[in-house]
Amino acid sequence: MWEPLAKSASAPAAASSLPPKEYRVDGLQAVNGMSLEDAGYHINLPPNLIFDGNKIEDYSRIKSYSDNLSRPVLGSYTTVSIYNYFSLDRDILPLPLMCLQAFKKENCSAKYKTMIELDHYNMADLKDYIVYSDKEYNIYNFAPFIVEGSFKDRLQKEVNNWNNDVKEIMNSNGDSLTDTSCSDEIGCIRFEMNFVKLQDYLYLVDIADYYTNNLKKLIVKT
């Protein structure tokens, strides 16, 4: 499953419904993209890069996908996501930032199409989404087709969701939440449940901006 960039909880398509590696759409050949790993690249983060006291690698998730059935694009791909921990004791999925695919440059002309979220796009119309290019490959970020809103807006939504969860737990349990010793489940929840503010987590936005502004020089040959 490729949960970081999913827009909904709809069931993944069956393997038999996935397009073959080569097929045609409106007379044009559809092409598979490749993950950074499959194309022979990786993202090279500078060591010990700090944002407001937080190391970028501690809040980053860079992962390549190939055979998962709920893929949003045709072929393998690489996601870049940012963990938005408000409590180290709570397991939170990272917020999606990028969905990267590499295509050989000879497959990036108007003769070819690719598929993103079940829609087909002419490769010649996707030039604005190229984030890296060399003699052999163009690498695209297709996240704008997959997730809605800016990273900051989505982080604000997560803050709101967290605070609403805190309110609901407090309203549901009342006086039983006075115990913070973690001697029982409710006590542990109370110990972890604190209201949070967006401004305390703007370093996550800075990390996201760093990826966006520097990706071209961060992508290197493996």
Side-chain angles (χ1 to χ4, degrees):
M1 299 293 289
W2 64 287
E3 78 289 341
L5 291 175
K7 287 197 299 185
S8 68
S10 58
S16 60
S17 68
L18 293 173
K21 288 186 177 181
E22 293 187 7
Y23 69 105
R24 304 187 75 81
V25 179
D26 299 329
L28 300 179
Q29 183 174 332
V31 290
N32 293 7
M34 289 178 282
S35 66
L36 298 187
E37 182 180 35
D38 287 346
Y41 297 87
H42 70 279
I43 295 176
N44 185 35
L45 293 175
N48 300 320
L49 189 62
I50 303 294
F51 293 86
D52 195 23
N54 301 279
K55 291 184 179 181
I56 187 172
E57 60 263 32
D58 291 341
Y59 285 85
S60 300
R61 177 179 177 179
I62 301 171
K63 186 172 182 180
S64 293
Y65 295 83
S66 56
D67 297 327
N68 57 302
L69 300 182
S70 59
R71 54 188 171 183
V73 289
L74 190 61
S76 59
Y77 60 98
T78 297
T79 60
V80 179
S81 307
I82 309 296
Y83 278 102
N84 55 315
Y85 283 127
F86 303 133
S87 167
L88 294 179
D89 297 321
R90 179 170 174 175
D91 184 21
I92 301 178
L93 288 175
L95 283 170
L97 180 63
M98 296 178 177
C99 179
L100 303 174
Q101 275 200 303
F103 292 82
K104 289 188 175 181
K105 297 193 82 168
E106 59 262 31
N107 293 334
C108 295
S109 71
K111 297 179 180 179
Y112 299 93
K113 286 192 171 186
T114 193
M115 186 171 67
I116 309 169
E117 288 287 72
L118 301 181
D119 291 322
H120 290 94
Y121 297 86
N122 192 297
M123 293 299 299
D125 296 330
L126 297 173
K127 294 178 180 178
D128 290 344
Y129 301 94
I130 296 174
V131 292
Y132 173 92
S133 183
D134 59 22
K135 293 181 179 180
E136 189 176 4
Y137 285 96
N138 287 332
I139 296 177
Y140 298 75
N141 175 27
F142 291 143
F145 293 89
I146 300 166
V147 295
E148 297 179 358
S150 68
F151 180 86
K152 185 175 180 180
D153 289 342
R154 285 181 280 123
L155 180 60
Q156 178 68 75
K157 183 177 179 180
E158 291 298 311
V159 168
N160 294 342
N161 289 341
W162 174 276
N163 288 335
N164 288 336
D165 287 346
V166 173
K167 288 180 183 179
E168 183 175 348
I169 290 173
M170 289 182 172
N171 290 337
S172 298
N173 295 280
D175 293 340
S176 64
L177 288 173
T178 58
D179 177 14
T180 61
S181 64
C182 275
S183 58
D184 55 35
E185 183 179 357
I186 293 298
C188 289
I189 292 174
R190 177 65 182 90
F191 187 78
E192 296 173 12
M193 290 287 104
N194 294 298
F195 293 111
V196 297
K197 298 179 180 179
L198 176 65
Q199 55 263 37
D200 294 332
Y201 297 92
L202 290 180
Y203 62 87
L204 298 175
V205 179
D206 292 338
I207 290 174
D209 287 344
Y210 177 82
Y211 274 108
T212 300
N213 297 331
N214 295 279
L215 187 66
K216 186 175 182 179
K217 64 182 181 183
L218 295 176
I219 294 177
V220 297
K221 281 281 191 179
T222 298

